[in-house]
Amino acid sequence: MRLTCPLCGERDRREFYYKGDAIALNRPAPDAGTDAWDDYLYLRDNPAGVTKDLWQHELGCSAWIVVERNTVTHEVLSTALASDVKKATK
Amino acid sequence: MRVTGKGLINRDKQISFSFDGKSYNGFEGDTIASALLANDVRLMARSFKYHRPRGPLTAGSEEPNALMTLHSGARQTPNVRATAQEIFSGLEVRSQNNWPNLERDVMSVNDMFSNFLSAGFYYKTFMWPRAFWEKLYEPIIRRAAGLGALSGLHDEDMNEKAYAFCDVLVIGSGPAGLMAALTAARSGADVILAEDDSRFGGRLLSEVEDVDGKPGHLWVDDVIAELSAMDNVRLMKRTSIVGAYDQGTYGAVERVSGHLRGAHADAPLEVFWRISAKQSVLAAGALERPVAFPMNDRPGIMTASAVRSYLNRWGVAPGKRVAVFGNNDDAHRTARDLAAAGVEVAALIDSRPDSGPSGDFPILTGAEVIDTKGRLGLKQITVRTNAGMQTISADCLAMSGGWNPSVHLTCHMNGRPVWDDKLLSFVPKDGAIPGMTVAGAAQGVMSTAGALQSGLEAAKTALAAVDAKVADVTAPQAEDAAYNIAPLWQVSGKGRAWLDFQNDVTTKDVKQAAAENYQSVEHMKRYTTQGMATDQGKNSNVGALAVLADATGRGIPETGTTTFRPPFTPVAMATLGAGARGAGFAPQRFITSHDMTVKAGAPMIEAGLWYRPSYYPEKGELTWRESTDREVNMVRNHVGITDVSTLGKIDVQGPDAGAFLDFVYTNMFSTLKVGRVRYGLMLREDGFVMDDGTTARLGENHYVMTTTTAGAGEVMKHLEFVHQCLVPDMDVQFISVTEQWAQFAVAGPKSRVLLNRILDSEIDNDSWPFMACGDVSMGGVQGRLFRISFSGEHAYEVAIPSRYGEALYAALLEEAKALDGGSYGMEALNVLRIEKGFITHSEIHGRINAFDIGMERMISAKKDCIGKTSAARPGQVAQDRDRLVGLKPVTPSQKLMAGAHFYNVGAEATRENDQGYITSVCYSPTMKSYLALGFVKNGPNRMGEKIRMVDALRGVETLCEICHPVFMDQEGEKTRG
Ligand SMILES: [Zn+2]
């Protein structure tokens, strides 16, 4: 498997650390309530199809990356710097 | 027997090797199988289950029968395919899976009981009693059935890993592969041509036919010469592409020196390649399948294409009188090649009723072989014709059941091949591997001319995908005969008909599986073990599927399909794990005082990738405890030094550094004064403790964070995550400086006295109070000094750029000794921190929150931080949670055990009654007692209570008293003194 780091280019999967769903970007407010925090921390979809998750270019530039990929075909559809994605949602 | 004038071997170079202790001669270019056949040796192996005598079935890497053991001693290598291994001078080869020898194998008694050993035998027979399986049945079965054995010695061979990149990876170098490589190379693309064999050319090396008006193998030579001269081409022979993976990644094994051992002792045996290819062309050809007729497994019976390979490529007639049996035109081609080379063709048996004229040999049409004879090698076949039975004497039978395109790699990403009714085989599913185009026989294009054109077209497809201009290339003239085949899946008759030669699966086993309702192909495979040997059913899966289809009254496509997983050919574990053996298994990180420490005789223990001293034994000390007790007393009464460089150090800078630390730590750091250090607690977002450590403020916008040794990597990742993913607007930067600074703890009442002998300017309690930090100079070198303590003593940590680490350690040690002090190791460090109730990752093990360790008040109410919301959930602050306490035995000399559990006095030691557990234990020379830290339900409210410690594993039981986790100097007077 190969992923394209927006800063370093296309690299082998072994250079990356996998965290999980990109929902991790959407941290609720402290007073958002139990359900919102439960969703954020524990509840995950398990889609057969397109998913977005977070990887870190750990053995490269340390960038956290939002990877959009298809769990069925293994296609990598897009990659973007997590910091850019986060800033854009504000 | 060699055939004069035939073969591509080098007859000027004779090579001597041994097989089962007997010496044989072959020529350069021979495989073990071709050389043995040239010496009229047909019996080469015993089968897996029935120990049937076997010879080679094929002439390539798909071989199921002729597996052998090479070398002896540490280099002993089992299960090498004799059909692929080249011979070299002095090569030692032995047969395997037999006793006392290949001709008289005692275990061939299994063959007589084959009725009892059929499909499902193990499952039915060895079910009960259950306990017997592991101890009795399995060891016996394993000994009786099996292949070659490992030596059990340390493997002396070296292997390597490597990476390669290209525009177009061409897999296979037959006509299709060569044409694809040539087209891509001439068009300027970066090309890798990988060939499993020791020689480029594929079937062109084994057939008598012209390409471009010259013998096929000479056309191959010309193409290879052209490709070799091009800078954009890498030719990789003896290289199997073993797996196809996502985004154009391919695994490959290159056999570098296995064919010339001894001559290149320093070369790796094999190289495991990861090839990243923008596009690939699969031109892996096709494999001929055997025919399942009764007693089709005797030495001397092989595929027709193998017979042509031995004849045309190696100049060997696999028999003196050869019969040919098949359902397609390749059978005729085989008979013609043999006759033309002067080998007697006993008969051509064609199952089709209307086969045309062929050559100067007897032809039996509409006929089938229904039996064979010859205990250790074929002697006679029985043929059933329309006119009745006849026996024919023959010592070799070439069989052809048709060709299976080599679809294997196209299955590696879950692509299921599709049935082709005309070819009577499976062909690759379109687009099964993104970026891969399949060409030639692998795609079902069976003629040479077709394969050449198909290779050219595949290259064009690949070039278009990488936006390369296609050079003007045309395919040369070549044979273009049609491929005519009629179904022939099994021949009825008395006796077993083998499908899977390697796992000894017969047509009867498949039928039995169907009769017992294992009708799905996946169930049948597992019940019979069909296709589950190391050849993965390359020779047998399609045939077995056809037999299952027949037995269940379905068509083949309705019955199922075949699939293959990586690796295409077996890969040695040593090759997969190249470089990761012994010290190469994991990187080693050394502290700057490593050499001096080892020289002092300190046993080193691993802490993650680091190596740290356990203790420093002195003369007369017989146990680690004696050394440790001395070191603890030394620190408590004088001074000790220890290397703490392994703790993670993260340099944090920027205008928002303070605010950022406020967000990742539970407590405040933006309010910390410059020149001061503070202990910090870091939570995960789920409220549990991630790590702890001290962070020093060196300047307005400059902090240095320390993490635990084990937590350094995780914390660094976490900080990056929080910054980039949660608060990207914060203006803060951080970098690990763990390797850049050597850091030493100086602990004990005399620590300041010692430091003042090292520092260029003296310090005192006013200039450097508890929790102060700042720059210092030592011998003109600038370092940092932190007044922090992990021992409860008056202590410091002094840091210096790593290149001065060893010098500083030596200076500190010398001064320490002058003050009745010295070095202390991890054991003493552990005792010192337990006596003082300091936690480590033994306590904060991932299921512990701030409340559990009595630090809930460290979660600042003034701000949000990671983990704060979760930490406040009701269940996280319940009084009866397992909470940190100290524990001491009621009788001080009684042992406490880490990992032991607690039960109330009078309660039974059962899971339901569990009251908690011990996380850290030491013998405290200070308190003259065993001490422990642990977690007890509602612990802080049970001070003074007696509780039973039970270590069920080691059979230790001790009555303990619950106490405060800080065993000495609870007010911290020593630290501040
Ligand atoms: Zn990167």
Side-chain angles (χ1 to χ4, degrees):
Chain A
M1 182 177 180
R2 295 177 72 76
L3 290 171
T4 300
C5 169
L7 301 179
C8 307
E10 189 193 299
R11 296 298 166 97
D12 190 275
R13 200 270 301 156
R14 284 162 194 76
E15 295 185 13
F16 296 85
Y17 168 84
Y18 175 76
K19 183 178 175 76
D21 199 298
I23 193 178
L25 293 171
N26 311 327
R27 186 173 188 264
D31 57 358
T34 313
D35 287 350
W37 275 95
D38 188 34
D39 263 6
Y40 176 69
L41 283 169
Y42 302 112
L43 295 182
R44 293 291 176 268
D45 293 333
N46 185 18
V50 176
T51 183
K52 276 185 183 180
D53 35 42
L54 276 171
W55 298 68
Q56 190 197 15
H57 195 195
E58 190 182 18
L59 301 183
C61 63
S62 301
W64 280 92
I65 298 161
V66 177
V67 177
E68 189 185 17
R69 64 190 179 92
N70 188 316
T71 58
V72 177
T73 64
H74 295 193
E75 263 174 298
V76 175
L77 304 166
S78 72
T79 56
L81 287 178
S83 53
D84 288 348
V85 174
K86 179 69 179 177
K87 283 177 187 170
T89 60
K90 277 192 176 165
Chain B
M1 148 185 93
R2 290 282 177 197
V3 179
T4 325
K6 298 284 286 182
L8 307 176
I9 45 172
N10 179 7
R11 295 198 190 229
D12 295 334
K13 200 156 173 204
Q14 188 166 298
I15 289 168
S16 161
F17 69 102
S18 75
F19 175 59
D20 278 347
K22 206 177 151 198
S23 181
Y24 295 93
N25 287 324
F27 294 113
E28 190 179 65
D30 262 327
T31 63
I32 297 171
S34 71
L36 287 176
L37 287 172
N39 285 282
D40 297 329
V41 176
R42 290 185 294 170
L43 174 61
M44 298 191 193
R46 287 279 177 167
S47 75
F48 181 71
K49 191 157 88 174
Y50 300 132
H51 291 248
R52 299 266 304 171
R54 292 280 169 82
L57 178 70
T58 73
S61 68
E62 70 275 23
E63 175 61 26
N65 283 344
L67 307 187
M68 299 180 173
T69 299
L70 302 192
H71 318 299
S72 49
R75 279 195 163 152
Q76 178 169 316
T77 310
N79 308 331
V80 174
R81 286 146 297 164
T83 49
Q85 173 67 42
E86 298 156 74
I87 57 167
F88 54 86
S89 187
L91 172 66
E92 180 191 347
V93 187
R94 279 170 293 140
S95 61
Q96 54 191 35
N97 198 26
N98 62 69
W99 187 85
N101 60 47
L102 194 50
E103 282 76 23
R104 292 165 212 278
D105 177 9
V106 167
M107 288 308 293
S108 62
V109 62
N110 279 5
D111 197 33
M112 289 156 70
F113 296 109
S114 63
N115 276 340
F116 303 100
L117 291 171
S118 59
F121 163 72
Y122 297 135
Y123 306 127
K124 292 170 189 161
T125 313
F126 296 113
M127 281 286 268
W128 310 104
R130 213 185 179 103
F132 277 28
W133 174 253
E134 201 179 318
K135 294 231 155 60
L136 185 67
Y137 298 148
E138 196 189 354
I140 291 174
I141 292 167
R142 281 202 184 280
R143 218 171 304 143
L147 299 170
L150 292 166
S151 68
L153 301 170
H154 184 76
D155 182 12
E156 288 171 359
D157 283 314
M158 194 256 294
N159 295 287
E160 275 184 11
K161 277 182 186 163
Y163 294 80
F165 300 83
C166 63
D167 294 324
V168 183
L169 168 67
V170 180
I171 303 161
S173 69
L178 284 179
M179 205 59 217
L182 192 63
T183 307
R186 283 188 187 164
S187 303
D190 279 330
V191 175
I192 292 178
L193 175 60
E195 169 56 59
D196 182 36
D197 203 289
S198 59
R199 189 165 171 159
F200 294 104
R203 281 307 297 174
L204 291 176
L205 304 178
S206 294
E207 306 292 7
V208 181
E209 61 181 66
D210 284 356
V211 176
D212 206 14
K214 52 195 153 197
H217 68 91
L218 294 182
W219 179 79
V220 173
D221 290 347
D222 289 350
V223 174
I224 292 300
E226 180 179 342
L227 293 174
S228 312
M230 298 170 88
D231 288 340
N232 55 330
V233 178
R234 183 200 285 265
L235 296 175
M236 299 179 76
K237 57 184 177 185
R238 298 190 183 90
T239 303
S240 312
I241 303 295
V242 292
Y245 304 93
D246 291 321
Q247 281 83 41
T249 303
Y250 295 85
V253 173
E254 181 184 12
R255 307 185 302 279
V256 178
S257 64
H259 59 292
L260 29 79
R261 290 316 298 174
H264 292 257
D266 55 343
L269 186 61
E270 295 185 331
V271 175
F272 188 82
W273 288 89
R274 287 192 180 89
I275 300 174
S276 173
K278 289 179 188 154
Q279 289 287 307
S280 70
V281 174
L282 179 67
L287 297 174
E288 196 172 26
R289 52 187 183 234
V291 181
F293 61 85
M295 309 315 280
N296 60 343
D297 74 326
R298 297 192 194 281
I301 303 177
M302 59 186 80
T303 64
S305 57
V307 168
R308 294 203 301 284
S309 290
Y310 288 121
L311 180 68
N312 296 325
R313 178 170 172 187
W314 287 290
V316 174
K320 293 183 176 66
R321 208 175 126 78
V322 184
V324 184
F325 175 35
N327 62 342
N328 66 83
D329 296 349
D330 270 6
H332 294 252
R333 178 178 208 163
T334 310
R336 283 197 301 268
D337 279 7
L338 288 163
V343 181
E344 186 184 356
V345 176
L348 168 58
I349 301 129
D350 194 325
S351 66
R352 298 172 298 181
D354 52 356
S355 145
S358 195
D360 189 16
F361 37 78
I363 300 186
L364 301 168
T365 53
E368 293 170 333
V369 179
I370 58 154
D371 195 13
T372 67
K373 288 204 161 48
R375 199 176 69 85
L376 297 177
L378 183 69
K379 286 180 177 153
Q380 188 190 77
I381 60 174
T382 306
V383 180
R384 178 172 58 208
T385 69
N386 293 334
M389 308 288 187
Q390 60 172 285
T391 57
I392 298 169
S393 77
D395 56 357
C396 174
L397 175 64
M399 58 179 162
S400 178
W403 292 84
N404 293 328
S406 289
V407 299
H408 311 80
L409 286 171
T410 69
C411 301
H412 287 184
M413 287 171 67
N414 221 17
R416 293 296 173 100
V418 288
W419 182 253
D420 184 317
D421 248 340
K422 241 181 108 202
L423 286 173
L424 296 180
S425 192
F426 288 98
V427 292
K429 187 182 158 206
D430 278 343
I433 306 284
M436 175 188 277
T437 310
V438 188
Q443 183 63 14
V445 181
M446 293 303 180
S447 79
T448 304
L452 289 163
Q453 189 59 37
S454 154
L456 195 159
E457 298 299 333
K460 282 185 179 171
T461 304
L463 289 164
V466 299
D467 295 326
K469 241 179 84 185
V470 182
D472 189 22
V473 183
T474 50
Q477 285 287 314
E479 169 272 335
D480 199 13
Y483 172 63
N484 296 313
I485 181 168
L488 175 63
W489 298 113
Q490 54 182 324
V491 176
S492 59
K494 268 169 66 182
R496 287 164 288 166
W498 270 262
L499 288 162
D500 185 333
F501 288 72
Q502 203 174 14
N503 261 356
D504 269 337
V505 179
T506 65
T507 53
K508 188 180 142 198
D509 294 317
V510 174
K511 289 174 195 164
Q512 187 185 335
E516 294 183 18
N517 216 23
Y518 292 95
Q519 303 199 345
S520 144
V521 63
E522 297 300 332
H523 289 153
M524 179 277 285
K525 274 181 72 172
R526 281 152 186 84
Y527 197 55
T528 61
T529 73
Q530 159 64 40
M532 294 172 79
T534 61
D535 72 343
Q536 276 202 64
K538 282 192 186 81
N539 308 290
S540 57
N541 275 354
V542 177
L545 193 62
V547 173
L548 182 66
D550 187 52
T552 55
R554 296 173 292 184
I556 291 172
E558 288 78 49
T559 304
T561 180
T562 59
T563 191
F564 300 92
R565 295 187 183 86
F568 174 69
T569 49
V571 181
M573 292 303 290
T575 307
L576 280 176
R581 244 176 16 186
F585 181 71
Q588 293 170 300
R589 298 176 82 179
F590 294 132
I591 47 180
T592 55
S593 60
H594 182 84
D595 289 350
M596 284 183 70
T597 300
V598 170
K599 213 172 283 173
M604 303 300 275
I605 54 165
E606 290 177 43
L609 301 176
W610 289 100
Y611 290 78
R612 305 186 74 179
S614 220
Y615 55 94
Y616 292 82
E618 283 198 351
K619 250 195 202 120
E621 289 173 348
L622 299 175
T623 66
W624 67 273
R625 260 285 308 281
E626 287 179 58
S627 307
T628 302
D629 288 358
R630 172 185 49 75
E631 289 172 15
V632 170
N633 287 328
M634 175 185 81
V635 173
R636 294 267 178 247
N637 297 311
H638 306 284
V639 65
I641 57 166
T642 193
D643 196 322
V644 292
S645 308
T646 63
L647 270 74
K649 308 179 211 58
I650 300 172
D651 199 84
V652 184
Q653 298 195 38
D656 292 329
F660 180 73
L661 292 174
D662 285 348
F663 190 46
V664 293
Y665 275 128
T666 60
N667 46 333
M668 297 292 285
F669 278 84
S670 54
T671 55
L672 181 66
K673 287 192 177 66
V674 173
R676 283 293 182 274
V677 187
R678 183 169 284 168
Y679 173 80
L681 189 68
M682 201 178 278
L683 303 183
R684 307 190 311 225
E685 193 69 276
D686 64 4
F688 292 95
V689 177
M690 172 182 279
D691 203 56
D692 69 345
T694 58
T695 288
R697 189 166 196 175
L698 299 178
E700 186 56 32
N701 297 330
H702 187 191
Y703 294 80
V704 173
M705 174 190 289
T706 61
T707 74
T708 59
T709 299
E714 189 193 0
V715 169
M716 189 68 197
K717 246 198 290 280
H718 175 66
L719 297 185
E720 293 284 11
F721 167 76
V722 172
H723 182 219
Q724 296 178 40
C725 298
L726 300 181
V727 289
D729 292 327
M730 279 197 185
D731 190 357
V732 59
Q733 304 294 330
F734 30 85
I735 190 164
S736 167
V737 292
T738 306
E739 305 281 348
Q740 281 66 30
W741 292 89
Q743 194 153 318
F744 304 96
V746 181
K750 300 177 184 171
S751 55
R752 185 160 54 216
V753 178
L754 189 161
L755 277 173
N756 278 335
R757 295 180 184 182
I758 300 283
L759 298 173
D760 293 346
S761 325
E762 288 202 356
I763 56 165
D764 59 27
N765 205 40
D766 293 332
S767 67
W768 225 281
F770 181 56
M771 295 307 253
C773 69
D775 290 344
V776 290
S777 172
M778 292 163 284
V781 177
Q782 192 181 309
R784 292 168 180 168
L785 185 64
F786 310 86
R787 183 156 169 198
I788 50 180
S789 175
F790 197 51
S791 58
E793 292 300 323
H794 176 187
Y796 301 82
E797 288 187 13
V798 59
I800 199 160
S802 289
R803 61 188 178 281
Y804 302 109
E806 189 173 20
L808 177 58
Y809 177 75
L812 288 168
L813 183 58
E814 194 185 325
E815 297 298 346
K817 281 180 175 165
L819 294 166
D820 299 321
S823 300
Y824 65 102
M826 288 303 100
E827 294 294 347
L829 184 146
N830 197 41
V831 174
L832 292 162
R833 69 98 188 168
I834 292 173
E835 288 178 340
K836 184 67 183 161
F838 287 134
I839 56 170
T840 66
H841 274 294
S842 296
E843 282 70 42
I844 46 173
H845 52 52
R847 291 173 293 138
I848 292 300
N849 65 31
F851 175 78
D852 299 334
I853 48 175
M855 293 191 187
E856 66 272 23
R857 278 189 303 275
M858 273 187 72
I859 304 177
S860 169
K862 288 183 224 148
K863 52 153 185 129
D864 185 22
C865 74
I866 298 288
K868 183 176 175 179
T869 305
S870 300
R873 285 186 295 154
Q876 299 281 43
V877 290
Q879 291 294 319
D880 65 345
R881 286 181 63 86
D882 292 341
R883 295 160 69 189
L884 182 70
V885 292
L887 296 133
K888 51 190 182 190
V890 171
T891 309
S893 63
Q894 278 206 297
K895 272 193 167 182
L896 300 181
M897 313 296 285
H901 280 243
F902 291 112
Y903 305 93
N904 288 333
V905 175
E908 223 186 310
T910 61
R911 181 177 57 78
E912 293 82 359
N913 293 334
D914 191 275
Q915 293 294 307
Y917 52 93
I918 293 190
T919 51
S920 296
V921 166
C922 72
Y923 177 78
S924 162
T926 315
M927 317 297 287
K928 307 266 183 298
S929 170
Y930 279 92
L931 302 177
L933 297 176
F935 291 85
V936 171
K937 277 186 202 311
N938 196 22
N941 298 319
R942 296 170 70 175
M943 291 297 150
E945 197 180 303
K946 303 276 188 301
I947 198 163
R948 276 171 72 208
M949 182 213 81
V950 179
D951 185 331
L953 208 60
R954 287 161 289 196
V956 181
E957 180 167 345
T958 302
L959 187 64
C960 300
E961 184 191 318
I962 301 172
C963 59
H964 195 279
V966 181
F967 295 96
M968 55 160 277
D969 189 24
Q970 286 187 13
E971 287 71 41
E973 279 165 18
K974 291 180 81 163
T975 318
R976 287 180 175 77

